[in-house]
């Protein structure tokens, strides 16, 4: 009987697609293998085999699988179950999950290749455009359509390609472009067997080629072939460098069939084995927390470790990892920010050496492919350290998931789908494989705290800082009053400047926190009030002095800074507000002798940029570090005595129900960078809202007071953790049309969900990348059936998109938004 496969395609389409297996493929395929399949008229995609069966579809003509790419599955059976949960819970397709889960090096691309037919003879003169294409192909007989279009300058080149195809002047083939190529290393070996008699003959033969003779002797010495022990692999590069020889000398030995050069596939990953592994002993408070966590795991699958900043949570994690490895289990250690991996990697490598693998998007794609493949092998990493996408890696024996700084909103994927939360996904994944989850933070999310205090999760508290260091002294400064009295120096209060000066004199370090990048969030004409706006988005442009450009932080649109106002031709164009770039400029002017660095999205585009900024600050090469929320996330510096929070109000005045919670978390976390290891630090908190309750709660580090107030409000207004939120986003290029569509969808939703539906309304940024946006909020009780709610939401979305008048509408759901 003929076999068929159901596959998952990397497309946002619901369900599976069935293809026939050609003869000869039947025994070579398993669920989890990748196959190349045709889709549509000319496109080819890499699909993942989900199921193998003998039932031929009757509704449509079945196409055949083109190629099988894997001899062994690339996905484990449990991963299919996990993908299905993500797709169902976050209201997206498994194709969306597939695109997010696999490194791009494991997804092959289809590219149309045009090939010249050397036997073609024209019976009449060809049109100019057709002849131009053939002329280009006569120089290079095989080219991609993209390249031909670029070189010829012909628009809509596919029409010309079709005409040449009809005349059989060219052939077209689909060539699968493999984005991941294995890394190969050139190695050298001796041809045949080595004995003393043969060696003497060879050396005599090479008497007139002394360089080749020396190179052969060097190879024999390095490889150990004469010692009759274990023969050592010798690389071409190593041999040439050690012998100080040229490639020509080696080629001579290869031509004489004395040596042979072959290629061996090697990993890109760091395989250096550290034999000097050390794990620090825990102090009494850490030891107590360690035992309490293990006790919690006896009855709960999830435990929250609420430890104040600098309490040594990482050391507790290391001991938990060590215990898990002794049980033969694997550990996934999740971090919210790539910047943190630099510091944590060093600490974990000191403890676990080459048993640790690191996985995040700043790594080259080839390295991520190798980690994926290594996890499927018998020599998989015991510990994976990574960011949210690490939950998709294959784990054969997962025992523990650590989620550090669990409150961070960067664990939530925003765009594109799946809009999953790594914390929730990790808890579900752990439940599927029987692993435990530890959530660690100094400022838990309100949802996690609620779950821990109501008994759903275990709760362990670590209230002592390491070595009994005091929490930093937080001094609020009323900058509203100082501005009125004209005592501010730019964005710095006299108290902050005095503390920075004293810190620099004592050879200590300073961190300045401003949660806006760029030089100025906005520029304005002082005469007429003109403000430059993005042409694609509903936002003002941010001025970046370093590149002397105005930039949109939503779509990347840039605009050259005008010399005069285009509205009134006035020349008084002034900056409004300030970002990290301006703070850096001003600090360098006030403290010219200090070494200053900036850590934000603009300065940390690459993995090495992160590492250099953090390493320089750790080693004392940088005196003042200026940064956005990146500097607040668990970084550990020994000599920071002063932290300046330049403007707390930007965090407090954001239109979101989590604004106060986030403001407290950010201020408490950045304050925790001060006063580590040797003495109490100092935090200068600048604000215009000196009497705001959150400011008082940050000063007293009263997390529980903040939570109690927020829980009271959220219960009253039906917000998490008492209700589940789903945001419905609708996007369209025509604002008037979008209003009609949004109102129609809101009516459909209200007919099903009644008063649980709010909106439609405009979000704070109501147009991004030329698309207008409307938002509808759905609040669903915790005890309601979420599976039924999801079923209804998918039906309504399908109904909307099937309406011909709503053809170009974009609709998507954001479940549990952050």
């Amino acid at each position: 009987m003929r076999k068929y496969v159901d596959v998952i395609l990397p497309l946002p389409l619901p369900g599976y697609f069935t293809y026939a297996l050609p003869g000869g493929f039947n025994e070579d395929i398993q669920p989890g293998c990748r196959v190349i399949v045709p889709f549509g008229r000319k496109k080819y995609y890499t699909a993942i085999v989900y199921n193998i069966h003998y039932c031929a579809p009757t509704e449509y003509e079945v196409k055949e699988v083109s190629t099988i790419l894997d001899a062994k599955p690339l996905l484990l059976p449990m991963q299919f179950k996990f993908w299905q949960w993500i797709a169902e819970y976050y209201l997206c397709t498994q194709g969306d999950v597939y695109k997010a889960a696999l490194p791009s090096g494991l997804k092959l691309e289809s590219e149309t290749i045009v090939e010249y037919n050397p036997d073609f003879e024209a019976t009449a003169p060809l049109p100019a455009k057709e002849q131009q294409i053939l002329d280009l192909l006569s120089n290079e007989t095989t080219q991609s359509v993209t390249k031909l279009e670029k070189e010829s300058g012909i628009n809509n080149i596919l029409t010309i390609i079709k005409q040449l195809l009809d005349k059989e002047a060219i052939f077209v083939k689909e060539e699968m472009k493999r984005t991941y190529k294995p890394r190969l290393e050139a190695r050298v070996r001796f041809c045949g067997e080595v004995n003393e008699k043969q060696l003497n003959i060879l050396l005599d033969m090479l008497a007139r080629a002394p360089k080749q003779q020396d190179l052969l002797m060097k190879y024999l010495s390095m490889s150990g072939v004469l010692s009759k022990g274990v023969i050592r692999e010798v690389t071409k590069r190593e041999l040439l460098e050690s012998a100080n020889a040229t490639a020509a000398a080696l080629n001579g030995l290869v031509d004489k069939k004395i040596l042979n050069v072959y290629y061996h596939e090697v990993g890109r990953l760091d395989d250096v084995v550290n034999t000097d592994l050390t794990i620090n002993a825990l102090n009494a408070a850490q030891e107590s927390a360690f035992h309490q966590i293990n006790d919690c795991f006896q009855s709960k699958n999830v435990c929250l470790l609420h430890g104040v900043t600098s309490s040594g949570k990482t050391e507790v994690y290391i001991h938990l990892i060590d215990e898990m490895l002794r049980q033969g289990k694997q550990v996934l250690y999740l971090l919210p920010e790539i910047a943190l991996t630099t510091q944590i990697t060093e600490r974990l490598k000191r403890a676990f050496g080459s048993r640790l693998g690191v996985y995040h998007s700043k790594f080259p794609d080839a390295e991520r492919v190798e980690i994926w493949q290594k996890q499927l092998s018998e020599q998989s990493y015991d510990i994976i350290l990574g960011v949210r996408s690490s939950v998709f890696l294959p784990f054969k024996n997962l025992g523990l998931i650590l989620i550090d700084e669990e409150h961070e909103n960067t664990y939530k994927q925003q765009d594109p789908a799946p809009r999953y939360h790594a914390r929730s996904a990790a808890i579900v994944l752990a439940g599927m494989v029987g692993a435990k989850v530890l959530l660690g933070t100094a400022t838990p999310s309100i949802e996690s705290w609620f779950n821990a205090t109501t008994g759903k999760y275990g709760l362990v508290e670590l209230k002592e800082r390491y070595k009994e260091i005091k929490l930093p002294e937080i001094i609020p400064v009323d900058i509203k009053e100082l501005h009125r009295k004209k005592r501010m120096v730019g964005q710095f209060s006299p108290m902050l400047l005095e503390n920075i000066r004293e810190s620099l004199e004592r050879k200590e370090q300073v961190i300045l926190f401003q949660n806006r990048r760029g030089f100025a969030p906005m520029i304005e004409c002082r005469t007429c009030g003109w403000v430059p706006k993005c042409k694609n988005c509903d936002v003002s442009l941010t001025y970046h002095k370093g590149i002397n450009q105005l930039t949109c932080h939503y779509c990347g649109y840039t605009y050259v800074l005008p010399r005069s106002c285009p509205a009134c031709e006035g020349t008084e164009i002034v900056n409004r507000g300030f970002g990290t770039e301006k703070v850096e400029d001003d600090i360098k002017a006030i403290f010219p002798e200090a070494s200053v660095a900036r850590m934000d999205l603009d300065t940390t585009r690459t993995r090495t940029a992160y590492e250099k900024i953090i390493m320089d600050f750790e080693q004392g090469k940088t005196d003042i570090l200026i940064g956005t929320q990146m500097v607040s996330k668990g970084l550990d510096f020994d000599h920071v005595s002063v932290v300046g929070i330049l403007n707390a109000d930007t965090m407090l005045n954001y239109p979101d129900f989590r604004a106060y919670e986030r403001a407290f978390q950010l201020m408490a976390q950045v304050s925790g960078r001060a006063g580590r290891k040797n003495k109490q630090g100092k935090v200068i908190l600048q604000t215009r809202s000196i009497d705001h309750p959150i400011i008082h709660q940050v000063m007293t580090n009263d997390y529980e007071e903040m939570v109690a107030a927020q829980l009271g409000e959220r219960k009253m207004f039906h917000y998490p953790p008492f209700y589940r939120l789903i945001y419905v986003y609708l996007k369209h290029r025509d604002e008037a049309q979008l209003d009609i569509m949004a109102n129609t969808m809101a009516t459909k939703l209200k007919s099903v969900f009644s008063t649980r539906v709010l909106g439609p309304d405009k979000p704070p940024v109501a147009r991004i990348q030329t698309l207008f946006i409307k938002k509808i909020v759905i609040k669903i009780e915790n005890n309601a059936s979420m599976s039924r709610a999801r079923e209804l939401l998918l039906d309504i979305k399908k109904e909307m998109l099937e309406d011909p008048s709503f053809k170009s509408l974009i609709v998507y759901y954001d479940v549990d938004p952050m």
Side-chain angles (χ1 to χ4, degrees):
M1 284 180 72
R2 191 164 200 193
K3 273 189 181 177
Y4 297 88
V5 288
D6 295 333
V7 301
I8 303 169
L9 286 166
L11 298 168
L13 299 170
Y16 304 103
F17 295 84
T18 304
Y19 287 84
L21 277 175
F25 282 10
N26 290 0
E27 304 304 320
D28 303 332
I29 195 160
Q30 302 171 56
C33 288
R34 293 173 304 154
V35 291
I36 300 293
V37 296
F39 190 81
R41 290 180 66 193
K42 289 186 178 179
K43 292 184 179 176
Y44 283 73
Y45 289 99
T46 303
I48 301 279
V49 175
Y50 171 73
N51 186 30
I52 303 163
H53 57 86
Y54 295 94
C55 303
T58 53
E59 308 86 52
Y60 54 89
E61 185 184 342
V62 183
K63 294 181 181 179
E64 285 193 345
V65 167
S66 302
T67 313
I68 295 177
L69 294 175
D70 304 306
K72 292 182 180 177
L74 206 67
L75 257 67
L76 303 175
M78 176 276 302
Q79 286 175 282
F80 283 114
K81 191 178 171 187
F82 183 52
W83 284 19
Q84 192 170 355
W85 177 83
I86 287 184
E88 286 175 1
Y89 186 83
Y90 291 103
L91 297 168
C92 62
T93 67
Q94 290 207 52
D96 290 319
V97 183
Y98 168 21
K99 285 174 75 176
L102 261 67
S104 56
L106 294 174
K107 293 174 285 198
L108 307 185
E109 297 174 5
S110 173
E111 192 173 62
T112 304
I113 301 295
V114 176
E115 192 173 8
Y116 179 66
N117 178 8
D119 299 326
F120 172 67
E121 287 182 12
T123 54
L126 294 173
K129 287 184 179 179
E130 291 182 23
Q131 190 60 53
Q132 188 183 353
I133 298 298
L134 289 185
D135 290 343
L136 287 169
L137 286 168
S138 64
N139 298 326
E140 190 179 339
T141 55
T142 304
Q143 293 186 48
S144 70
V145 168
T146 312
K147 188 176 179 183
L148 283 170
E149 191 169 26
K150 187 177 177 183
E151 289 187 4
S152 66
I154 299 170
N155 292 326
N156 196 15
I157 197 172
L158 288 175
T159 310
I160 313 300
I161 296 292
K162 185 178 182 303
Q163 288 162 1
L164 287 169
L165 265 175
D166 292 341
K167 293 171 184 170
E168 297 186 354
I170 58 171
F171 304 122
V172 167
K173 61 180 181 180
E174 286 291 323
E175 181 170 289
M176 301 316 302
K177 188 174 71 178
R178 196 180 288 264
T179 56
Y180 165 69
K181 292 180 183 175
R183 184 177 174 185
L184 301 176
E185 182 178 70
R187 295 185 178 180
V188 180
R189 63 184 163 208
F190 196 82
C191 294
E193 292 184 19
V194 180
N195 56 56
E196 197 172 329
K197 183 181 176 183
Q198 186 188 4
L199 188 59
N200 288 330
I201 294 168
L202 289 175
L203 292 174
D204 288 343
M205 188 176 84
L206 296 173
R208 293 187 179 182
K211 289 182 180 178
Q212 292 180 19
Q213 194 180 62
D214 290 346
L215 187 61
L216 176 61
M217 291 304 292
K218 192 68 182 178
Y219 168 76
L220 295 170
S221 163
M222 291 175 71
S223 64
V225 292
L226 294 175
S227 64
K228 300 197 175 171
V230 177
I231 297 174
R232 180 173 167 266
E233 299 274 0
V234 178
T235 69
K236 178 180 173 181
R237 182 178 176 183
E238 184 185 15
L239 176 62
L240 294 178
E241 284 177 359
S242 300
N244 197 21
T246 62
L250 178 60
N251 291 339
L253 292 171
V254 170
D255 292 341
K256 289 168 183 165
K257 297 192 169 26
I258 298 169
L259 293 180
N260 176 34
V261 174
Y262 66 100
Y263 290 89
H264 180 78
E265 185 176 334
V266 293
R268 293 170 172 80
L269 310 175
D270 183 8
D271 287 329
V272 178
V273 178
N274 180 6
T275 53
D276 184 24
L277 305 177
T278 54
I279 295 179
N280 300 328
L282 299 176
N283 65 21
Q286 291 168 334
E287 185 79 33
S288 172
F290 173 75
H291 290 302
Q292 286 180 60
I293 291 164
N294 278 325
D295 290 344
C296 269
F297 283 154
Q298 299 303 312
S299 57
K300 309 277 185 190
N301 290 328
V302 184
C303 178
L304 172 65
L305 174 59
H306 179 210
V308 296
T309 52
S310 197
S311 57
K313 292 187 290 295
T314 307
E315 289 302 326
V316 177
Y317 300 157
I318 287 170
H319 279 256
L320 287 165
I321 293 169
D322 185 52
E323 185 178 277
M324 201 54 62
L325 298 189
R326 279 194 263 111
Q327 294 175 24
K329 301 275 190 177
Q330 292 174 304
V331 177
L332 171 59
Y333 190 141
L334 289 177
L335 291 168
E337 194 79 58
I338 291 167
L340 291 183
T341 56
T342 303
Q343 277 200 336
I344 302 293
T345 301
E346 291 309 309
R347 292 176 74 172
L348 293 180
K349 277 200 171 167
R350 283 198 295 272
F352 304 109
S354 59
R355 300 177 81 175
L356 172 74
V358 184
Y359 187 85
H360 59 63
S361 60
K362 284 285 192 279
F363 272 34
D365 190 66
E367 285 188 24
R368 285 184 288 143
V369 169
E370 287 194 15
I371 287 179
W372 187 287
Q373 291 176 333
K374 190 175 173 74
Q375 289 309 97
L376 290 167
S377 73
E378 296 304 314
Q379 294 82 40
S380 60
Y381 286 115
D382 295 318
I383 311 156
I384 289 289
L385 175 68
V387 291
R388 63 174 179 255
S389 57
S390 306
V391 296
F392 293 116
L393 280 168
F395 291 94
K396 291 182 176 177
N397 197 15
L398 188 61
L400 176 67
I401 301 178
L402 292 164
I403 306 177
D404 198 13
E405 309 296 346
E406 67 84 27
H407 64 278
E408 286 288 351
N409 62 349
T410 45
Y411 279 125
K412 179 78 160 80
Q413 163 79 3
Q414 301 299 338
D415 274 312
R419 295 171 181 84
Y420 68 100
H421 197 299
R423 181 184 63 214
S424 305
I427 290 169
V428 170
L429 174 65
M432 288 177 176
V433 298
K436 303 294 182 183
V437 179
L438 181 67
L439 310 174
T441 177
T443 53
S445 66
I446 287 177
E447 287 92 331
S448 293
W449 179 259
F450 180 78
N451 285 333
T453 51
T454 54
K456 186 177 180 181
Y457 300 166
L459 174 63
V460 175
E461 297 196 84
L462 188 55
K463 294 187 175 180
E464 288 179 25
R465 281 187 128 196
Y466 187 64
K467 293 187 177 176
E468 298 181 351
I469 302 163
K470 291 181 181 176
L471 283 163
E473 179 190 5
I474 301 177
I475 305 166
V477 176
D478 187 352
I479 56 173
K480 183 179 179 182
E481 186 65 16
L482 289 171
H483 273 295
R484 191 180 67 79
K485 293 178 178 176
K486 298 189 176 172
R487 291 185 56 204
M488 291 287 285
V489 180
Q491 52 272 10
F492 310 106
S493 62
M495 180 182 282
L496 177 57
L497 292 175
E498 183 58 32
N499 277 280
I500 294 172
R501 192 170 285 109
E502 288 173 6
S503 179
L504 295 174
E505 286 169 1
R506 294 192 301 266
K507 305 291 182 192
E508 292 168 344
Q509 291 173 303
V510 176
I511 289 177
L512 297 177
F513 171 71
Q514 169 61 9
N515 207 22
R516 279 184 183 273
R517 62 189 174 102
F519 191 83
M522 188 174 88
I523 66 165
E524 182 183 58
C525 172
R526 187 172 275 175
T527 310
C528 72
W530 170 81
V531 173
K533 297 271 183 80
C534 176
K535 70 173 187 178
N536 304 317
C537 310
D538 190 17
V539 290
S540 57
L541 297 171
T542 302
Y543 175 50
H544 289 257
K545 189 180 178 185
I547 55 174
N548 195 35
Q549 272 187 339
L550 296 162
T551 304
C552 173
H553 288 174
Y554 285 86
C555 71
Y557 169 74
T558 56
Y559 181 74
V560 178
L561 183 71
R563 292 185 179 180
S564 60
C565 172
C568 71
E569 297 187 358
T571 53
E572 280 194 277
I573 295 176
V574 294
N575 299 320
R576 296 290 184 216
F578 61 94
T580 48
E581 199 178 6
K582 179 160 176 56
V583 176
E584 182 185 26
D585 258 27
D586 292 353
I587 278 291
K588 282 178 176 175
I590 298 167
F591 301 104
E593 72 289 352
S595 171
V596 181
R598 174 163 54 95
M599 188 160 86
D600 57 26
L601 193 62
D602 298 321
T603 62
T604 54
R605 296 283 180 189
T606 65
R607 167 176 140 203
T608 50
Y610 275 110
E611 291 170 359
K612 183 167 180 5
I613 292 167
I614 292 167
M615 198 177 294
D616 285 353
F617 197 64
E618 262 183 332
Q619 294 171 355
K621 294 178 184 176
T622 306
D623 300 314
I624 302 172
L625 179 64
I626 297 154
T628 55
Q629 59 183 327
M630 285 182 185
V631 300
S632 73
K633 297 181 182 180
L635 294 169
D636 206 346
F637 302 117
D638 293 349
H639 306 293
V640 176
S641 60
V642 174
V643 167
I645 298 173
L646 300 183
N647 189 356
D649 306 291
T650 55
M651 296 175 271
L652 293 169
N653 298 331
Y654 195 75
D656 187 87
F657 74 96
R658 295 186 202 271
Y660 289 176
E661 176 192 1
R662 286 213 187 113
F664 180 93
Q665 288 166 342
L666 260 176
M667 287 189 269
Q669 288 284 346
V670 79
S671 298
R673 304 311 115 212
R676 304 170 83 88
K677 299 269 168 86
N678 48 11
K679 56 182 270 189
Q680 185 182 25
K682 198 177 278 187
V683 179
I684 312 300
L685 197 163
Q686 298 185 167
T687 176
R688 294 172 182 269
S689 312
I690 198 86
D691 298 322
H692 198 289
I694 293 290
I695 301 297
H696 172 73
Q697 288 156 4
V698 170
M699 285 170 59
T700 56
N701 195 39
D702 198 339
Y703 171 80
E704 291 182 33
E705 184 188 309
M706 182 276 291
V707 172
Q710 289 301 299
L711 284 174
E713 283 188 16
R714 292 192 188 182
K715 190 169 188 178
M716 191 186 306
F717 295 106
H718 298 178
Y719 280 106
F722 304 101
Y723 278 69
R724 309 293 284 274
L725 285 188
I726 299 173
Y727 289 170
V728 186
Y729 287 98
L730 299 96
K731 296 183 177 181
H732 198 272
R733 294 190 189 280
D734 185 322
E735 189 174 16
Q737 185 74 359
L738 179 64
D739 286 343
I740 297 166
M741 294 170 176
N743 289 327
T744 305
M745 185 150 194
T747 304
K748 289 178 186 289
L749 288 167
K750 284 173 183 174
S751 69
V752 175
F753 294 99
S754 185
T755 55
R756 298 178 183 89
V757 179
L758 301 176
D761 208 344
K762 287 184 179 181
V765 180
R767 187 171 68 109
I768 296 176
Q769 294 180 354
T770 71
L771 293 170
F772 291 94
I773 307 166
K774 278 292 184 82
K775 177 173 137 185
I776 300 169
V777 177
I778 306 171
K779 298 178 179 180
I780 301 174
E781 300 89 337
N782 281 346
N783 58 3
S785 168
M786 281 302 289
S787 58
R788 177 62 182 147
R790 285 193 288 271
E791 193 181 307
L792 291 167
L793 286 167
L794 290 173
D795 287 345
I796 291 169
K797 179 182 175 181
K798 186 180 177 184
E799 200 178 315
M800 285 290 293
L801 295 177
E802 283 176 350
D803 188 327
S805 57
F806 297 162
K807 195 175 177 182
S808 52
L809 174 68
I810 298 168
V811 181
Y812 63 85
Y813 297 115
D814 188 2
V815 180
D816 300 340
M818 291 296 285

